[in-house]
Amino acid sequence: MTTYDRTNSGLLARNDKQGNENRPDYRGSINVDGVEYWLSAWIKEGREGTKLAGQKYMSLSVQPKDASYPAAAPAPAPVAAPAPRPVIHDRAPVPPAPRRASGTGFDSMDDDIPF
């Protein structure tokens, strides 16, 4: 049997949405420079006032195949706590400025700025 080089090619096939309108209209895979990706497409229609007004087009999404499918957002990397600030001198730290009492603000300013 003859083998084909499928680099830089792919396919899309109609997707069974199973009652969920958010699922893609088409699903498939694509190979780009030897790396495999999942490919999803939604049929959309351009809104009035845009270049594509009234025209149908495909909106695409590409995810690496090593990610879960259907497309899921990658888990965020854990955020490390910030390092403590170094002490530069022997004096005690200056406390933060006190907050204004609620009810004070822009409405209670007594200046004559005309704007």
Side-chain angles (χ1 to χ4, degrees):
M1 179 174 185
T2 307
T3 60
Y4 297 98
D5 180 13
R6 300 195 188 280
T7 304
N8 297 326
S9 64
L11 67 90
L12 281 173
R14 188 173 294 276
N15 183 28
D16 178 12
K17 292 185 163 203
Q18 300 174 353
N20 184 347
E21 288 303 310
N22 292 328
R23 289 187 178 172
D25 295 307
Y26 291 86
R27 291 190 332 179
S29 62
I30 189 168
N31 179 303
V32 180
D33 291 332
V35 180
E36 294 286 327
Y37 296 92
W38 293 114
L39 185 60
S40 301
W42 291 261
I43 303 290
K44 298 200 174 189
E45 188 168 330
R47 293 182 292 197
E48 292 300 320
T50 65
K51 287 187 209 180
L52 297 174
Q55 297 179 30
K56 288 192 175 185
Y57 66 93
M58 285 188 162
S59 174
L60 303 176
S61 172
V62 178
Q63 293 262 312
K65 275 203 174 180
D66 59 6
S68 62
Y69 189 70
V79 178
R85 299 181 113 188
V87 176
I88 300 175
H89 49 76
D90 301 15
R91 294 179 285 177
V94 177
R99 293 182 170 229
R100 291 185 177 203
S102 64
T104 62
F106 290 109
D107 294 336
S108 65
M109 291 184 151
D110 290 332
D111 53 18
D112 296 327
I113 298 176
F115 52 89

